[in-house]
Amino acid sequence: MKGTDFVRPLNFVIQWHLTERCNWDCKHCYRSGEPAEELPLEALKKIIPQCLELFEALRIRRGFARINIGGGEPFLRKDLFEFLSLLAKYRDSVQTFIMTNGSFITDSIGKELKKLGVRGVQLSLEGLKETNDAIRGKG
C-alpha cells in the first residue's frame, strides 16, 4: 500500500454533542463544573456542510453516513427541532439519531422526530430500576 492509498470505511459516524447541559447528574458523567457555552444555531448551520464534505471526501456511500446528536441532554436546547429540520434536508444521504436520557420523550416528540427523519433514539439506561437509580438518580 502506498502512502497515498486510503482504505474507504464502509460507514462513518459523527457524534455531535450540541450541549453539555443535562437535567440529570449521573455518577459516571464526564461533565464537571459549569457547562461550556453552546454554539448558536447560526454556527451549527455552518458545520453541517462541513460534515457533508467529510462524508463525501471519505466516499461514504449514501445511507451509510450517520450523525448522532447528543449532549448532555440534547432536548434541553430550545432550538433542537429547528436544528433537526436543517439536518432533515439531507435525510436521503445522512442518517440522524438522537442520544438522550429519555426524560423529555413524549408521544408528540416521538412523532415530530419521525417527521423530521430521525432514524432512531438511543436511551441511556444502566440496568433495572435499582441499578439505574443508583447511577443516574431516582426515577
Side-chain angles (χ1 to χ4, degrees):
M1 182 186 287
K2 293 184 246 169
T4 57
D5 288 343
F6 179 74
V7 177
R8 182 176 85 176
L10 175 62
N11 56 24
F12 196 85
V13 178
I14 293 175
Q15 188 162 313
W16 195 345
H17 292 227
L18 299 182
T19 183
E20 289 184 12
R21 291 182 296 134
C22 189
N23 57 317
W24 289 4
D25 190 23
C26 302
K27 290 181 180 177
H28 65 278
C29 189
Y30 59 86
R31 294 180 309 113
S32 64
E34 288 296 312
E37 187 176 331
E38 296 173 357
L39 290 176
L41 185 60
E42 287 304 313
L44 298 179
K45 287 179 184 180
K46 293 176 183 175
I47 296 171
I48 294 171
Q50 295 174 36
C51 293
L52 299 172
E53 288 173 21
L54 176 61
F55 293 139
E56 187 175 318
L58 293 173
R59 299 181 308 209
I60 304 300
R61 292 186 325 203
R62 205 171 189 82
F64 287 86
R66 180 172 167 172
I67 297 177
N68 291 346
I69 304 300
E73 174 51 54
F75 286 97
L76 288 175
R77 280 200 65 134
K78 294 192 183 322
D79 57 3
L80 176 64
F81 288 96
E82 188 175 352
F83 176 71
L84 292 174
S85 71
L86 296 171
L87 286 177
K89 296 174 185 175
Y90 307 101
R91 73 176 84 185
D92 290 339
S93 56
V94 177
Q95 298 180 32
T96 302
F97 286 74
I98 302 279
M99 300 178 306
T100 176
N101 61 36
S103 57
F104 296 102
I105 301 289
T106 63
D107 285 343
S108 62
I109 284 179
K111 288 174 184 171
E112 184 67 18
L113 293 175
K114 183 176 181 180
K115 188 174 106 181
L116 291 170
V118 173
R119 297 288 303 269
V121 176
Q122 176 184 318
L123 295 175
S124 301
L125 299 172
E126 303 302 331
L128 298 176
K129 183 178 180 6
E130 185 176 299
T131 303
N132 190 71
D133 285 359
I135 294 170
R136 296 196 175 267
K138 189 170 176 68

